[in-house]
Amino acid sequence: MQRKEKKLNKYINREISWLKFNLRVLAEASNLKNPILERLKFLSIAANNLDEFFMVRVAGIYNQIKDKVSFLSHDGLTSEKQLERIIIKTKKLLAASNEAWSNLKVDLSKEGILFVSYRDLNKSEKVRLNKIFRENIYPILTPLIIDPSHPFPFVPNKGHFLVLLLNKRNKSKKFFATIMIPQNIERFINISNRVDVKKYLSVEHIISNYVNYLFPGYHLNKYTSVRIIRDSDIEFEEEAEDLILYLEKALKKRRRGRIVKLEIRSNADPLLKKFVYKKLEVTEDEVYEMDSFVGVHQIDQVYNKKNTNLVFRSFNPRQVERLKQFNNDYFSTIKAKDFIVHHPYETFDAVIQFLNQAAEDPNVIAIKQTLYRTTSDSPIVKALVLASEKGKSVTAVVEVKARFDEETNISLASTLEKAGVQVVYGFVKLKTHAKASLIVRKEKSKLISYVHLGTGNYHPINAKIYTDLSFFSSDKIICEDVEKFFNYITTYAEPKKLKKLILSPLSLRTKLYSLIDQEIENKSKGKHAEIWIKLNSLVDKAMIDKLYHASAAGVKICLFVRGICCLKPGIKGLSENIIVKSIVGRFLEHSRIYCFANGEIMPSRSNLAYFSSADLMTRNLDRRVELFIPVENSTVHEQVLDQIMLANYKDAENSWFLKSDESYEKIKATTEDNFSAHNYFMKNPSLSGRGSSINLSMPEKLRLVK
């Protein structure tokens, strides 16, 4: 009897791919090339990432199971099977986190940064700790004995608490008790008064040693610390009459979502575990035991008290040199030629000053701006408020549905409205993810427009570590397209004749298909056919299938996918012409760039290049408002292809290859081939923002080696 051949599974599970990405982040905590406190920060980042993953993605799977949704993932798994695999992978991830922390403690101690217990302190340190506890910790704690008149308290999302087993002195009766640890309390407290040595104690360990203050007359038998993560996703109803009112109610419910992850110390007594599980109504599947401590994300508090010798060498973003040629006049600079600013290597202040100048300029008539993520004290918002106060027509498209920034954006919208800014909230079912500014200026009785289009958010803090592109132009056709884009959001009327910009969800998917098809056709005609794409995530099944089709036709494809990638490279007959790299290092790769050979060797000026706010995820292509922008200016084109994309291609210092068996392998950089894209951009000026008449050396010329 002939054995039935096993069917090839063409896709990688989205959730498992994300967990593998977080493992790559966690690996940086063990990367000895990173300064010790930077390694500590990577440990914190990986933990924080995992929290958000559970709050949204894992919570969604629990809801599918509860609602009995018969949904299969692209790789053919039911919700139950996905959850099973997630639990296994997460426990492996946490084991790796525990190991990383164990090694970090040893290395930190060599630098005089110690994590100690109460018994390690000398007499004077105990006296000092006693004072800290009584003055700074004790007053904000609420100790609670659990009995019929004191029921177990509600624990909000990210809630951290101690559970204790007590008995009254000389009596055998035992009592359970809890102490909620406020989220804004200092988690790690340095008790040393020496400059060269730091001795940190966790706040929960400190509290456990002062039970006699909190529960006079009781004796502590056992205690452990617990932390929970709740379902924090928000579903939007199309019929919601008032989006802001609906959101405010939904945000209150978020605090009370079902528990999807409970962290508890692995050495916790079984009695304490049983008590906690019963009171919080969790099963073993939702419990994750920690060898180190719960709430690993808060270890970044130690990083924030950093020693400059133990972190990355300070890097100050470069100014945009071309602006100096025009006395820092943005309108003259942009009118002379399109240019891009490459963040974080070049300052985000360029974007802020562009809007500040527009706000102050008496000839500026109107400003239109999208806001997806920014800070509560955003300089962008301040510029828009100033412009409105100076009598300009200002419109702000505020995306209040930006996950985990909903409250900040609602507050910003209120601030803008009070200043007279016309605030638009966009679509209920579509998120406005595109990044755009439009300035309309009166010049010699004519209205001239200027635009800024970006791949990242208008977020000055993120802009210091996120690699993104800011594009400035006064191209008449692009500006007209941006005007139509804003009108689409404010009127729902689909723009009929966009000439250069491509808009999602209306036509981006179709445009990408046609660009890939063109490469396939060129290959069939014997022309050079190749695709380079830089993304955060590649998830959309139909787009993956399109790339598989191109690979099978002989098109060479190089994908730089930092995070989730559901495509399997290197499979004969399917994806043997595709390679996938993930760069994880000092900066967070965030820019989205799409390049197509167009019949010529890459890189060359005949290639087609685009940048975008969109990843290749179904939500970006079908459920978000995104922009896809062609790169036409020759200098900008050279910077995007010959600098940015080529540096990503050559990077060996921070890169991982995705293999056909779904595993990632870190590139072993040799002394001769240890090129780092991040180091290159820190040292070399950009092509686009370089002034033509200034004394600035040309950037190091990159060569493609295949």
Side-chain angles (χ1 to χ4, degrees), residues 263-528:
E263 296 177 5
I264 191 168
R265 288 295 306 276
S266 55
N267 62 358
D269 185 85
L271 265 178
L272 293 176
K273 288 182 180 180
K274 185 178 179 181
F275 174 75
V276 169
Y277 301 169
K278 181 180 178 182
K279 291 298 182 182
L280 292 176
E281 299 179 339
V282 297
T283 66
E284 289 288 343
D285 280 350
E286 289 131 10
V287 175
Y288 296 84
E289 296 188 354
M290 307 294 294
D291 294 341
S292 51
F293 52 90
V294 304
V296 174
H297 68 292
Q298 288 183 308
I299 197 67
D300 69 346
Q301 289 182 11
V302 175
Y303 173 90
N304 291 336
K305 299 170 183 178
K306 57 195 175 194
N307 180 324
T308 54
N309 297 325
L310 305 178
V311 297
F312 288 130
R313 186 178 297 175
S314 178
F315 172 71
N316 295 316
R318 288 184 294 273
Q319 298 298 312
V320 182
E321 294 291 340
R322 269 213 320 121
L323 281 163
K324 294 179 182 178
Q325 292 178 255
F326 296 89
N327 297 316
N328 291 316
D329 182 327
Y330 277 83
F331 302 119
S332 298
T333 307
I334 296 168
K335 190 181 288 186
K337 190 169 65 169
D338 294 350
F339 66 95
I340 59 171
V341 178
H342 190 195
H343 310 302
Y345 312 105
E346 295 170 300
T347 179
F348 184 74
D349 286 349
V351 180
I352 297 168
Q353 292 308 318
F354 173 59
L355 288 167
N356 280 338
Q357 187 174 322
E360 295 280 5
D361 190 329
N363 294 320
V364 168
I365 308 298
I367 300 174
K368 296 184 181 183
Q369 175 75 47
T370 64
L371 288 171
Y372 187 75
R373 294 192 198 279
T374 188
T375 51
S376 56
D377 59 346
S378 168
I380 302 289
V381 171
K382 290 176 183 175
L384 298 178
V385 167
L386 176 63
S388 181
E389 290 172 347
K390 287 184 174 288
K392 304 178 195 309
S393 171
V394 182
T395 302
V397 178
V398 180
E399 184 45 83
V400 290
K401 302 185 295 296
R403 186 177 285 135
F404 302 124
D405 277 308
E406 299 96 341
E407 290 176 275
T408 297
N409 287 1
I410 289 171
S411 175
L412 292 178
S414 175
T415 299
L416 289 165
E417 284 182 324
K418 287 174 184 175
V421 174
Q422 184 174 359
V423 175
V424 179
Y425 298 115
F427 305 90
V428 174
K429 283 293 184 181
L430 302 176
K431 283 186 181 180
T432 304
H433 191 247
K435 318 303 189 300
S437 305
L438 173 69
I439 311 293
V440 182
R441 190 170 186 262
K442 194 169 186 178
E443 298 176 9
K444 296 179 181 178
S445 75
K446 289 184 178 180
L447 294 183
I448 306 296
S449 294
Y450 300 84
V451 295
H452 166 265
L453 303 171
T455 62
N457 301 302
Y458 291 95
H459 196 297
I461 295 174
N462 287 352
K464 293 178 181 178
I465 57 170
Y466 284 40
T467 72
D468 273 307
L469 302 183
S470 281
F471 173 72
F472 294 90
S473 178
S474 62
D475 180 290
K476 191 172 186 296
I477 296 174
I478 288 178
C479 291
E480 287 175 355
D481 281 357
V482 173
E483 289 167 7
K484 292 174 183 176
F485 153 75
F486 276 106
N487 288 344
Y488 169 53
I489 298 171
T490 57
T491 66
Y492 288 23
E494 295 184 8
K496 299 299 181 185
K497 293 181 179 178
L498 292 179
K499 294 177 181 176
K500 288 190 177 182
L501 302 189
I502 305 300
L503 189 59
S504 170
L506 304 180
S507 56
L508 178 51
R509 183 182 288 278
T510 304
K511 176 65 175 179
L512 286 167
Y513 286 169
S514 68
L515 287 166
I516 297 170
D517 283 338
Q518 184 62 51
E519 293 302 309
I520 295 171
E521 184 180 345
N522 284 343
K523 183 64 180 178
S524 70
K525 293 178 178 178
K527 296 180 180 179
H528 188 77

Side-chain angles (χ1 to χ4, degrees), residues 164-204:
L164 310 95
L165 187 61
L166 309 170
N167 65 272
K168 286 197 171 181
R169 298 190 187 281
N170 303 320
K171 293 186 179 180
S172 59
K173 185 178 179 181
K174 292 183 172 59
F175 300 84
F176 286 104
T178 63
I179 305 171
M180 292 296 301
I181 298 178
Q183 290 191 14
N184 59 354
I185 198 170
E186 191 174 4
R187 179 70 189 280
F188 297 96
I189 294 170
N190 176 28
I191 199 62
S192 173
N193 61 356
R194 290 172 54 183
V195 176
D196 59 330
V197 174
K198 292 180 173 63
K199 290 185 177 181
Y200 288 105
L201 293 92
S202 68
V203 70
E204 61 267 33

Side-chain angles (χ1 to χ4, degrees), residues 103-161:
N103 294 331
L104 274 166
K105 273 202 301 185
V106 173
D107 293 344
L108 285 162
S109 67
K110 295 173 184 175
E111 301 293 344
I113 300 173
L114 310 174
F115 289 81
V116 299
S117 63
Y118 185 80
R119 64 177 176 269
D120 298 322
L121 304 182
N122 60 39
K123 188 175 180 180
S124 65
E125 288 169 340
K126 287 179 179 177
V127 170
R128 193 156 49 253
L129 182 61
N130 186 279
K131 186 174 187 292
I132 291 171
F133 175 78
R134 286 186 288 105
E135 294 180 359
N136 300 330
I137 300 175
Y138 176 73
I140 60 175
L141 299 179
T142 304
L144 184 69
I145 289 284
I146 307 301
D147 62 18
S149 63
H150 301 96
F152 194 88
F154 171 74
V155 183
N157 183 37
K158 299 184 181 180
H160 179 199
F161 64 97

Side-chain angles (χ1 to χ4, degrees), residues 474-666:
S474 62
D475 180 290
K476 191 172 186 296
I477 296 174
I478 288 178
C479 291
E480 287 175 355
D481 281 357
V482 173
E483 289 167 7
K484 292 174 183 176
F485 153 75
F486 276 106
N487 288 344
Y488 169 53
I489 298 171
T490 57
T491 66
Y492 288 23
E494 295 184 8
K496 299 299 181 185
K497 293 181 179 178
L498 292 179
K499 294 177 181 176
K500 288 190 177 182
L501 302 189
I502 305 300
L503 189 59
S504 170
L506 304 180
S507 56
L508 178 51
R509 183 182 288 278
T510 304
K511 176 65 175 179
L512 286 167
Y513 286 169
S514 68
L515 287 166
I516 297 170
D517 283 338
Q518 184 62 51
E519 293 302 309
I520 295 171
E521 184 180 345
N522 284 343
K523 183 64 180 178
S524 70
K525 293 178 178 178
K527 296 180 180 179
H528 188 77
E530 192 168 359
I531 299 170
W532 294 356
I533 300 177
K534 182 179 183 298
L535 296 164
N536 297 305
S537 300
L538 171 55
V539 173
D540 185 76
K541 183 173 179 286
M543 199 59 69
I544 291 171
D545 286 342
K546 197 71 176 174
L547 292 169
Y548 282 154
H549 179 45
S551 172
V555 179
K556 297 289 183 184
I557 301 171
C558 188
L559 304 173
F560 311 107
V561 188
R562 185 198 79 226
I564 305 166
C565 182
C566 297
L567 176 149
K568 288 186 178 181
I571 297 175
K572 191 170 178 59
L574 179 72
S575 58
E576 60 193 293
N577 289 309
I578 303 177
I579 63 169
V580 178
K581 282 178 73 175
S582 171
I583 295 179
V584 178
R586 175 171 181 171
F587 300 112
L588 184 99
E589 293 296 332
H590 194 251
S591 51
R592 293 92 168 185
I593 301 171
Y594 298 77
C595 304
F596 303 87
N598 195 32
E600 298 292 338
I601 295 292
M602 298 182 79
S604 75
R605 299 293 69 79
S606 298
N607 305 149
L608 301 178
Y610 304 81
F611 66 92
S612 180
S613 56
D615 287 310
L616 291 182
M617 303 177 77
T618 305
R619 70 185 189 193
N620 298 101
L621 299 172
D622 299 338
R623 300 193 301 274
R624 287 188 173 187
V625 180
E626 308 273 15
L627 284 172
F628 187 76
I629 302 109
V631 177
E632 296 179 333
N633 175 276
S634 61
T635 313
V636 175
H637 189 280
E638 185 179 356
Q639 181 175 355
V640 168
L641 261 163
D642 298 55
Q643 265 196 324
I644 297 170
M645 294 301 276
L646 201 49
N648 277 263
Y649 197 110
K650 285 174 64 67
D651 184 275
E653 184 74 25
N654 312 294
S655 292
W656 300 70
F657 273 126
L658 174 58
K659 298 162 70 176
S660 58
D661 64 0
E662 303 184 22
S663 66
Y664 280 84
E665 182 178 31
K666 183 77 182 281

Side-chain angles (χ1 to χ4, degrees), residues 220-255:
L220 174 65
N221 279 305
K222 304 173 189 304
Y223 88 97
T224 193
S225 56
V226 185
R227 182 172 176 270
I228 66 166
I229 294 295
R230 293 182 180 273
D231 177 351
S232 298
D233 205 9
I234 294 175
E235 293 184 7
F236 294 93
E237 297 177 2
E238 196 160 7
E239 61 272 16
E241 290 183 14
D242 187 325
L243 182 59
I244 298 300
L245 186 61
Y246 176 84
L247 253 179
E248 287 172 341
K249 290 179 180 178
L251 287 168
K252 289 176 183 176
K253 288 182 181 178
R254 173 184 275 176
R255 286 170 49 84

